[in-house]
Amino acid sequence: MIRNIIDNIIADKSYSIEDLSLVLQCNDDDRKYLFKKSQEIKEKYVGKKVYFRGLIEYSNICAKNCYYCGIRRDNKTLERYTMTNDEVIEAAMFAYKNRYGSIVIQSGEISSPAFTENITHLLTQIKKLSNAELGITLSLGEQNEKTYKQWYEAGAHRYLLRIETSNKEHYQKIHPNDDLHSYENRVNMLNLLKKLNYQVGTGVMIGLPFQTYENLAADLMFMKEFDIHMCGMGPYIEHKDTPMYSWDIKLLPIKERYNLTLKMIAILRIMMKDINIASTTALQAIDPIGREKAITIGANIIMPNITPRKYRDKYFLYDNKPCADEEAEDCIRCLEMRIKYAGGEIGYNEWGDSKHFLNKLSHE
Ligand code: 5AD
Ligand code: SF4
Ligand code: FES
């Protein structure tokens, strides 16, 4: 029965949210079958290559107050920082020299003109210093059209904005209920980014309070229907200085959130065969070889942290974040070994754009 559903998904025959929810709950032999198929599909459609995106955690200042996030505005236990432009450029050049191919600039959500204009300036500089060879993904939250456009023109070509959960009622439960945290706006932003020709990535957290299997199945359907180009999703991990931490709600055991994340990745891979899927750091916070597992069964993107070490312990979105004591050099060696172990190869010096995006372009 479960195998039939898996075969239907692979053949692009019709399947429902209920079907996906059943696959999400599968175990033992059915799960093995799912992972075997997702691995085959991955190798057939996107190959064995794993692409690097050097992650620069530019600033932990955030105007928002998401109930789950360690760098939310009202967390006063945190020392706030913004990297200097020299530090950002140095990190970008580190990625360039080490043949990473791409970087991601991420930060809390800030929309002051000083911030947005400085990002434009940094993009221009990084493009210039890398002979336009370094690909740049942004993950800087919700901004207005003018800003998104300006950043695209300055050289950013991919944007990550997680929907966090595709169910509006659920979204409202895990965020303050105000204009700053509007579900509609989130969806509008994803549409806007697409309209502006960005490769668009989204994703959800897995194992959140109030989340059901049907919710997660609907999240997968949302990504398929929105026709995303990239996905980054990971387990929800508690952070002690957030409101969600003290909610009296029974969560899935952490290992179960991890297992469910792997299934989400595998199912998304068979639903959307040629998209880019990130193996997120949060997986490694739970299992020391979590990211490798994700690569074996479907993910093809990894984001080595290249933020200077002095800032790393200040960008804790959740507790137990890995690589907090490592320098960027340490992560390279470590990842080379890890990816080999997972049966992959590193796509050095390549942008590793979403094949789904490129395939769409060539059919237009
Ligand atoms: N656990 C896991 N992921 C989290 N994020 C924020 N807080 C947490 C948490 N406690 C994720 C969100 C956000 C991304 C930058 O980090 O999905 O989009
Ligand atoms: Fe800010 Fe993003 Fe954290 Fe929300 S999840 S508080 S927007 S950094
Ligand atoms: Fe950072 Fe292994 S990836 S030390």
Side-chain angles (χ1 to χ4, degrees), residues 81-97:
Y81 75 86
T82 300
M83 286 171 64
T84 65
N85 284 357
D86 284 349
E87 285 169 337
V88 175
I89 293 194
E90 195 184 323
M93 287 306 108
F94 171 86
Y96 180 52
K97 290 198 186 102

Side-chain angles (χ1 to χ4, degrees), residues 196-242:
L196 296 174
N197 291 325
Y198 278 99
Q199 287 176 50
V200 181
T202 192
V204 297
M205 280 173 286
I206 295 152
L208 283 164
F210 312 113
Q211 195 175 42
T212 62
Y213 287 106
E214 282 69 28
N215 286 149
L216 289 169
D219 290 340
L220 291 169
M221 215 54 124
F222 172 89
M223 294 192 250
K224 173 92 177 166
E225 280 165 10
F226 188 82
D227 201 24
I228 56 164
H229 309 122
M230 327 182 281
C231 176
M233 52 188 171
Y236 161 64
I237 303 175
E238 298 92 323
H239 187 296
K240 61 179 181 355
D241 301 316
T242 60

